[in-house]
Amino acid sequence: MKKVLAIITLLITMLNLPVIADQYSLHTSDSNYTKNFNTEESERILFIMDFSNSMSEPLEGSTKLNLMLKTMKEILPKINPNTWVGLRIYGHRMGFTPMEACRASTLVSPILKNNTPYIEQSLAKAKPRGMTPITYSLKQAIKYDFMGFNGKKHIILLTDGGENCDESPCTFVMNLIRVRRDVSIDVIAFNIKDTDDLEQLECTALVTSGKFYNAQTAAELLNGFNNSIESAKNVEAKIVLPN
């Protein structure tokens, strides 16, 4: 908890820094650009799902993977067909070297309307095999998956473990918000016990004004997904870019 408080304190300080341009900056011709986005019409949702090897571990008479797939089958039909939604998965392949394993992240279903049947099909095809490249997945998603869209970007990240590819998702998002504020990340930590991992993941959510769910059971997993989808429907986002 002390670490989380320290992170939030640092975040408050960072928010007073000037916005600078880099590879993650928003592109607009008006430096005082202000726009309201109706979430149901304009917000893009991207699921980033864990297919690391540990998802094959047993839980509640099944496996983490099967519980996750069952939950997704329940929540996907609830998403409005007009909502733009996509799927990225990670950890679904090993590679010959640790470097390759830490780049195992793929956009398997681009962000489109009426896309939930294809997302379900893509989930059913993937198998848990590799590492947990959370930070790399977030970088790829933010840089490429939302390309050409300037509205609110809502990531729903599921993981059953912390980053194990020598990066920090917390550090990444703290640097990210210095240059752009259009991304929120909801994190669902599924059956994670390690305190340091939970703190890193909680930071990743809170720094981006997202929600953090510590789901130790299948019921809590379902609740986390439901709450995250509902928040995407009901929140109106406002992006203000300073000079």
Side-chain angles (χ1 to χ4, degrees), residues 93-104 131:
R93 61 177 186 271
M94 276 298 299
F96 294 104
T97 67
M99 178 65 74
E100 289 182 40
C102 286
R103 297 295 182 267
M131 306 280 280

Side-chain angles (χ1 to χ4, degrees), residues 49-55 88-94 101-106 126-134 137:
M49 310 296 287
D50 188 350
F51 277 84
S52 62
N53 185 58
S54 57
M55 286 292 288
R88 173 175 285 272
I89 63 175
Y90 64 90
H92 53 298
R93 61 177 186 271
M94 276 298 299
C102 286
R103 297 295 182 267
S105 181
T106 304
K127 304 297 179 184
R129 290 191 174 94
M131 306 280 280
T132 311
I134 294 172
S137 296

Side-chain angles (χ1 to χ4, degrees), residues 21-25 27 143 180:
D22 77 350
Q23 63 175 322
Y24 301 113
S25 61
H27 301 289
K143 188 174 182 181
R180 57 189 293 177

Side-chain angles (χ1 to χ4, degrees), residues 4-226:
V4 174
L5 291 175
I7 289 167
I8 299 302
T9 301
L10 180 57
L11 172 61
I12 292 172
T13 302
M14 291 172 60
L15 289 176
N16 292 322
L17 295 175
V19 174
I20 57 176
D22 77 350
Q23 63 175 322
Y24 301 113
S25 61
L26 288 169
H27 301 289
T28 176
S29 58
D30 183 357
S31 60
N32 292 313
Y33 175 75
T34 303
K35 185 174 182 180
N36 289 323
F37 297 97
N38 180 285
T39 302
E40 189 170 353
E41 293 179 355
S42 299
E43 181 171 273
R44 266 58 166 172
I45 299 174
L46 178 67
F47 291 100
I48 302 182
M49 310 296 287
D50 188 350
F51 277 84
S52 62
N53 185 58
S54 57
M55 286 292 288
S56 61
E57 293 175 353
L59 182 66
E60 297 182 13
S62 184
T63 65
K64 295 179 185 180
L65 174 66
N66 287 336
L67 294 176
M68 181 267 286
L69 294 176
K70 180 181 178 181
T71 301
M72 291 297 287
K73 284 183 180 180
E74 184 166 345
I75 67 159
L76 286 173
K78 299 178 182 178
I79 298 176
N80 189 316
N82 291 321
T83 301
W84 293 77
V85 60
L87 171 67
R88 173 175 285 272
I89 63 175
Y90 64 90
H92 53 298
R93 61 177 186 271
M94 276 298 299
F96 294 104
T97 67
M99 178 65 74
E100 289 182 40
C102 286
R103 297 295 182 267
S105 181
T106 304
L107 180 68
V108 293
S109 186
I111 301 173
L112 300 168
K113 289 184 179 180
N114 198 26
N115 199 28
T116 54
Y118 302 101
I119 289 175
E120 188 171 338
Q121 291 173 19
S122 298
L123 286 169
K125 293 177 183 177
K127 304 297 179 184
R129 290 191 174 94
M131 306 280 280
T132 311
I134 294 172
T135 309
Y136 178 77
S137 296
L138 291 174
K139 289 178 179 178
Q140 295 296 103
I142 293 169
K143 188 174 182 181
Y144 298 112
D145 299 353
F146 297 101
M147 188 175 293
F149 175 64
N150 291 325
K152 184 68 177 177
K153 302 159 184 66
H154 183 192
I155 292 174
I156 302 174
L157 169 70
L158 170 77
T159 180
D160 77 331
E163 174 74 56
N164 61 7
C165 284
D166 198 29
E167 291 190 275
S168 166
C170 176
T171 300
F172 166 66
V173 297
M174 291 181 76
N175 288 324
L176 177 69
I177 64 165
R178 298 179 64 181
V179 296
R180 57 189 293 177
R181 313 282 173 78
D182 61 330
V183 179
S184 66
I185 303 172
D186 289 351
V187 178
I188 303 174
F190 186 31
N191 197 237
I192 299 176
K193 308 295 185 183
D194 186 272
T195 302
D196 290 338
D197 288 343
L198 288 171
E199 286 183 347
Q200 280 278 316
L201 295 168
E202 185 174 12
C203 162
T204 303
L206 297 183
V207 165
T208 62
S209 299
K211 301 292 179 62
F212 176 77
Y213 303 98
N214 186 353
Q216 293 297 321
T217 66
E220 291 172 347
L221 178 67
L222 176 60
N223 183 64
F225 273 118
N226 277 329

